Amino acid sequence: MSIEVSGGKRGLTDPVIAAQILAAIPDKPLETQRKMNYFVTPRGRRLNEYEVLCCYTQPTPDWIAGGLDWGDWTQKFHGGRPSWSNESTEMRTTDWHKHRDPAFRWHYLYVKDKAEEWRYTDRFLKAYSADGHVRSIDPVWRDEVLGDYLGAFGFSEYGLFNSHSSVTRDCLGDTIRMSTAMIGLDKVDNAQMIQAERTFLAKIVPGFNESTDIPKAEWTKGQIYKGARETVEDIWQATYDWNEILFSGHMIYDPLFGQFVRREFFLRLSAYYGDNLTPFFINQMQLYHSQTKGITTDMFHTCLSADTEFGEYNDRLMRAWSDKWLPRTVNALKDFMGIFAKIPEIKGVTSKDAIQAALERVFEDWERDYAAPIGYKVDTAAHIKTILTGLK
Amino acid sequence: MAISTATKAATDALAVNRAPVSVGAQEVHKWMQSFTWDFDKNRTKYSTKYKMANDTKEQFKLIAKEYARMESVKDERQFGSLQDVLTRVDAANRVHPKWNESMKVISNFLEVGEYNAIAATGMLWDSASAPEQKNGYLGQVMDEIRHTNQCAYINYYFAKQGQDAAGHNDARRTRAIGPLWKGMKRVFADGFISGDAVECSINLQLVGEACFTNPLIVAVTEWASANGDEMTPTVFLSIETDELRHMANGYQTIVSIANDEAASKYLNTDLNNAFWTQQKYFTPVLGMMFEYGSHFKVEPWVKTWNRWVYEDWGGIWIGRLGKYGVESPASLRDAKKDAYWAHHDLFLLAYAMWPTGFFRVSLPTAEEAEWYEANYPGWYEMYGKVYEEWRARGCEDPNSGFLPLQWFAENNHPIYIDRVSQVPFCPSYCKGASTLRVLESNGKKHSFSDPWGERMWLSEPERYECQNIYEQYEGRELSEVVAEGHGVRSDGFTLISQPHTNKDGKLWTLDDIKKIGCVFTDPLKAL
Ligand SMILES: [Fe+2]
Ligand SMILES: [Fe+2]
C-alpha cells in the first residue's frame, strides 16, 4: 500500500514521499505570529529563549496566582489534598510565574557551564599534581583541617542540597522549580567537590585519609559544627513551607555561616598555610553561591517583596522568618569559632582581631544584600560579640 | 600516620613519580552512600505505605559535574543539528501538514509530562533514604528539566520555521480548552505527583516510562520521519538516551521496597491501578495521534502496542521484576482489547469536537481509509461511512453550518466523560469496550466507562473530584468558550483549530461557529 512507509523511508529524503508532502504544504504560512509564548511578559525588553522554553510549562489553574489553566486537579493525594495548592506556603503573590533566573539559564546553558568547570577541574588537578604543589601545604592544615573539618563541612552542603527536594516537589511556579533544582544540584556538587579534593589528596599524599568516617563523626558528634548541623537538619527536614526552606537556607544560613566558612575561613586562610588547592574548589562554590544569590534574591526581593499586592505582608513574614533563623545561624557560627583553636595561629590572620574583621565583612554583606531589602533591622555588633564568645 | 612522615612521604612519592593525577567521577561517587547521617527528624515529607531500604544503590553512578558533561555533549549535537543543517534545508517546511499539526499536541503534552516528572522525582528524591537512590532520582530531576526544554524547543522551532505557527506558538495558553487536556493531566501530571510516593514512582517510572515511553518517544520518531519531520527524531532520540536512567530508577524503587511487608500486600494493586490509569489515556491517544495525525503510515498501532506494551513490558520487563513479587497487571488483557478499537472511537469524538483544539485535524483520505480497512477490518462500516457523511454535509467548509457534534445529537449518541480518566466516550456508538455506568454521590452524578476506573473511584472518590468540560462550560456557547480560551489566531477571529489541512480549504472563524449556536449541555443531566 502506497501510504504505508516501510524500510524506514524518510519523508525528507525519499523523492516520491517528499514530492507528495511538498504538494500538500500551503503556499504561504498560515500564521504570521511566529514567536512562541508571545503572550508572556518578558523580564527584559524582549522575550528571551529561556522565557520561551520555560515560562508556563507548568499547568497551573487560575486559582493559584498567575495560572492560565482552569479547574481542579484530575487526581489528588489520598484523602483529597490537591497536587499543588496555595496552602503549601505562607507567602502570597499576584503571580507565581514571575521569577526569572537573572542568568536566564535553561538546562542546556546550565549544564554547559558545569561541564566546562568539570573539564577545567580535571586539567587543573593534573597540572597541580605534576607540579608538585602539594609539598607546600602545612601538614596540620592538610591533614586535620582539610581532612577532617573541610570534610565535615561537606555534610552541611549535602544537607542543604537535600532541603531542595521537597521544594522541587511543592513549589508553585515553573521557573522557581527549575531554579530550585539547579541551585540544589550546585549544593551536592559542592559536597562532591570537597570529597574530590580529599580523594585527590589521598592519591598524591600517601597516608592521607580520604574516608568520610572522621569528618562524619566530627559533623555528627563534634562541637565545632554542632549548631550548624542542628540548623541544617531543621531546614532540611523540620520545615514544610517551601518558601521558608529556601529563605532559611539561602537568605540566612548560607550567606552567613556558609560564607564565613567558605570565604573567610577556607578561602582566606588556605594561602597562609601553603594551600593553593582548596581555593580552586572553593572558588567554584563561590561562583555557585553568587549565582544562587541572584536567583533567590530575585524570588524573595524582586518578586515577593516587590509584589504590588502582597509585598508588605511578605516583608513582614520574611522578617519573622529572619527572627527565627538568625539566632540559630549565629549559634552555628559561635560553635564554629572552636576551629581556631585547632590550627597554628598566625598573627593578624587567625587572631581574634582578624576573625572579627572577617565576621564584620560577612555580616555587612548580609545586612546590605539580604536584611535591608526587607527592612530587617539587625544589631550586627551584638551578634558578632556573641559569636566571638565561641573562641576557645 | 604522623603528620611529618606524611609530608615526607608525599615529597618522596613525587620524587619517584610526577605523572599528572586527577580524580574520576567514580572515585568520588563511591563515597556518596556515606554522605547522609541519622537524626531524629530525618524522614520524608511524603507519606508512603512502603519503606524504602537505607542501602539501596543506583545503577548510573554519576556526580553532578559528570552528569553535566554527558548531557552537554548530547545537547551540542542535538541543537547543532537543528540550528545548522535542518534549518538550511528548510526542514520545517518539508513536513506533511497533518504531522505539523500532530506535533503541536505531542510535543506540548509530552512537555507537561516532562515538567511534572521534575516534581515527581523531586518527591522521590525526598522519599528515598539512601543517598545513592536519592542521587538517581536527582539525576532524573535534572533530566526532566532538560526534556521539558527539549519538548518546548520543538514547538519553538516549528513556530519559528514552519508552515503553521498557530498552536505551536501558544499551546501553553490554549491547550486547556479541549476534551483531551484533562485526561492528559491525569496521566502526565497528577498521576506522577499526587499520591503515595511509591505509587507515583510506579505511575511515572514503572508504567509511564518503562511501558509507554517506548511507543511514545521511539515510535513517534518513526512516524515523524516517514512524514518528513527530522526535527522530532533529533530531539526525541536525545531525550530517549536519558530514559534508561529513569527506567533503572523505577526498577530500583521496587528493589528498595521488595523486602518490605507492605510490598506483598499492596504492590500489585498499585501497579494494576497505575497501569490502567496510564493505558486508559495513552492507548487511544497515541494510536490516534499516529494513525490519524499522519499521512504516511508506519504500521498499525495495534502491532506497535502489542510489541512494546504487551510483550516487552508486560512480559519481559515485568518478568524481570517477578523475583520481587511483581505480577503482570490483571487489567492488561482488557487493555489489549482497547489497543484495537479505542483510538478509532476516540478520533471520531476528537474530530467532532475540533473547535476546542489548538491544532488542525483532518478526515481520512480515500487512500487512508483503504489502509484502515485493510488493517482493521470492519473500520469502514463503523467509521468510514460516518466520515463520508460528515464530509458530504460539508463539515470542512465554514459555509456549511455543520459541525459533526450535531450528528451525535441528531442520532441520539450522547458523549460522556469518564470521571476518573477524564477521557470522553460515546457508549452508544463505539467498537471498543466502553460501557456507561452512572453513580451518584453527594447529589452529583458521575459517569464511568470501565470497571477498573470505577473501582478506583469507589474506593477513593475524594481523589477524583475534578470537574469535566461539561460541568465547566455548562450552558455556554461554543465560540464564546473558544474565544475565552484564546483559541484564535493572531488576526483575532480565525480559529487555531480547523477541521481540515487542505491547502486551499477555507478557514473557520468565530462567527462561523457562533452561527451554528452550539451550546454545552451535560448529558448526565438528561439521565
Ligand atoms: Fe523525561
Ligand atoms: Fe523520564
Side-chain angles (χ1 to χ4, degrees), chain B residues 292 341 344 364 369 372-373 376-384 387:
Chain B
Y292 289 91
W341 291 118
H344 300 294
Y372 291 120
E373 185 60 32
Y376 301 93
W379 180 89
Y380 177 78
E381 262 312 296
M382 183 74 181
Y383 312 100
Y387 294 133

Side-chain angles (χ1 to χ4, degrees), chain A residues 3-5 10-11 31 33 52 58 74 76 78 83 118 122 129 139 165 177 189 203 212 233-234, chain B residues 3 21-22 27 34 37 41 65-66 115 126 169 172 190 194 225 230 297 371 460 463 465 490:
Chain A
I3 58 164
E4 185 162 315
V5 178
R10 295 174 175 273
E31 172 62 54
Q33 174 55 269
V52 167
Q58 175 173 292
T74 52
K76 302 178 190 177
H78 302 279
S83 299
W118 185 215
D122 181 59
S129 55
S165 55
R177 178 163 283 103
D189 191 0
K203 287 172 89 168
T212 49
E233 287 172 358
D234 279 354
Chain B
I3 280 159
V21 172
S22 183
E27 292 173 289
S34 67
W37 68 98
K41 297 161 192 151
K65 282 187 158 57
E66 179 63 8
Y115 179 77
D126 197 274
N169 63 7
R172 291 173 191 157
D190 301 335
S194 302
S225 177
E230 292 298 331
K297 316 296 180 197
W371 183 84
E460 297 180 290
R463 296 183 81 182
E465 292 169 325
S490 58

Side-chain angles (χ1 to χ4, degrees), chain B residues 114 140 144 147 209 243 246:
Chain B
E114 303 293 359
Q140 185 168 354
E144 305 300 7
H147 302 169
E209 288 170 330
E243 290 301 326
H246 307 177

Side-chain angles (χ1 to χ4, degrees), chain A residues 134-195:
Chain A
V134 75
R135 289 168 298 185
S136 65
I137 306 183
D138 176 276
V140 174
W141 177 264
R142 184 192 63 212
D143 293 1
E144 288 186 3
V145 178
L146 301 184
D148 304 351
Y149 300 110
L150 179 63
F153 181 65
F155 289 88
S156 173
E157 298 290 40
Y158 186 73
L160 283 184
F161 151 68
N162 278 314
S163 75
H164 295 80
S165 55
S166 64
V167 183
T168 302
R169 163 63 187 79
D170 293 339
C171 70
L172 295 176
D174 32 43
T175 43
I176 298 178
R177 178 163 283 103
M178 295 180 197
S179 286
T180 298
M182 288 174 185
I183 63 182
L185 191 76
D186 287 344
K187 281 297 183 196
V188 80
D189 191 0
N190 287 358
Q192 289 164 346
M193 279 195 285
I194 287 171
Q195 186 56 31

Side-chain angles (χ1 to χ4, degrees), chain A residues 1-5 10-12 17 21 23-27 29-39 49 52-59 69-70 72-80 83-84 106-108 111 114-115 118 122 125-126 129-130 135 139 142-143 155 158 161-162 164-166 168-170 173-174 177 181 185 189 192-193 195-196 200 203 206 210-212 216 219-220 233-234 236-240 245 284 288, chain B residues 1 3 6-7 14 18 20-23 27-28 31-32 34-37 39 41-43 45-46 63-69 72 75 79 93-97 111 115-116 119 122 125-126 131 134 138 142 145-146 148-149 152 156 159-166 169-170 172-173 175-176 181-182 185-186 190 193-196 199 225-228 230 295-297 360 367-368 371 460 462-463 465-467 472-473 489-490 503:
Chain A
M1 213 158 297
S2 65
I3 58 164
E4 185 162 315
V5 178
R10 295 174 175 273
L12 186 69
I17 305 175
I21 292 175
I25 291 178
D27 299 330
L30 296 182
E31 172 62 54
T32 51
Q33 174 55 269
R34 287 185 170 278
K35 183 162 237 144
M36 180 159 149
N37 266 3
Y38 58 87
F39 53 89
E49 209 159 65
V52 167
L53 298 176
C54 302
C55 291
Y56 296 106
T57 47
Q58 175 173 292
D69 197 0
W70 54 263
D72 208 343
W73 302 108
T74 52
Q75 178 181 308
K76 302 178 190 177
F77 283 96
H78 302 279
S83 299
W84 284 311
W106 49 293
H107 186 277
Y108 177 35
V111 294
K114 206 178 268 304
W118 185 215
D122 181 59
L125 293 180
K126 283 176 179 153
S129 55
R135 289 168 298 185
R142 184 192 63 212
D143 293 1
F155 289 88
Y158 186 73
F161 151 68
N162 278 314
H164 295 80
S165 55
S166 64
T168 302
R169 163 63 187 79
D170 293 339
D174 32 43
R177 178 163 283 103
L185 191 76
D189 191 0
Q192 289 164 346
M193 279 195 285
Q195 186 56 31
F200 175 70
K203 287 172 89 168
E210 65 174 316
S211 158
T212 49
K216 191 177 197 160
W219 173 254
T220 51
E233 287 172 358
D234 279 354
W236 170 9
Q237 288 293 41
T239 309
Y240 279 67
I245 294 171
Q284 292 191 48
Y288 297 155
Chain B
M1 183 188 284
I3 280 159
T7 302
L14 279 162
R18 284 240 182 156
V21 172
S22 183
V23 175
E27 292 173 289
V28 177
W31 298 102
M32 277 288 290
S34 67
F35 277 18
T36 196
W37 68 98
F39 56 99
K41 297 161 192 151
N42 196 354
R43 48 162 166 45
K45 292 171 185 164
Y46 307 96
I63 60 170
K65 282 187 158 57
E66 179 63 8
Y67 168 82
R69 189 192 63 78
S72 77
D75 283 343
F79 293 118
N93 287 308
R94 291 165 183 273
V95 174
H96 196 282
E111 176 189 289
Y115 179 77
N116 279 271
W125 156 20
D126 197 274
K134 280 179 185 291
L138 167 73
M142 299 310 295
I145 296 177
R146 176 173 191 256
T148 302
N149 290 162
Y156 173 50
K160 202 155 135 192
Q161 317 267 356
Q163 49 194 289
D164 183 15
N169 63 7
D170 54 4
R172 291 173 191 157
R173 192 170 67 159
R175 61 193 176 189
W181 171 250
K182 290 269 169 201
K185 268 181 59 176
R186 167 100 192 291
D190 301 335
I193 63 172
S194 302
D196 178 300
E199 177 199 353
S225 177
N227 286 277
E230 292 298 331
H295 178 65
F296 296 100
K297 316 296 180 197
R360 296 175 290 147
E367 235 181 340
E368 287 165 10
W371 183 84
E460 297 180 290
E462 67 279 4
R463 296 183 81 182
E465 292 169 325
C466 184
Q467 314 89 322
Q472 173 77 12
Y473 301 142
R489 291 165 182 267
S490 58
K503 73 192 268 190

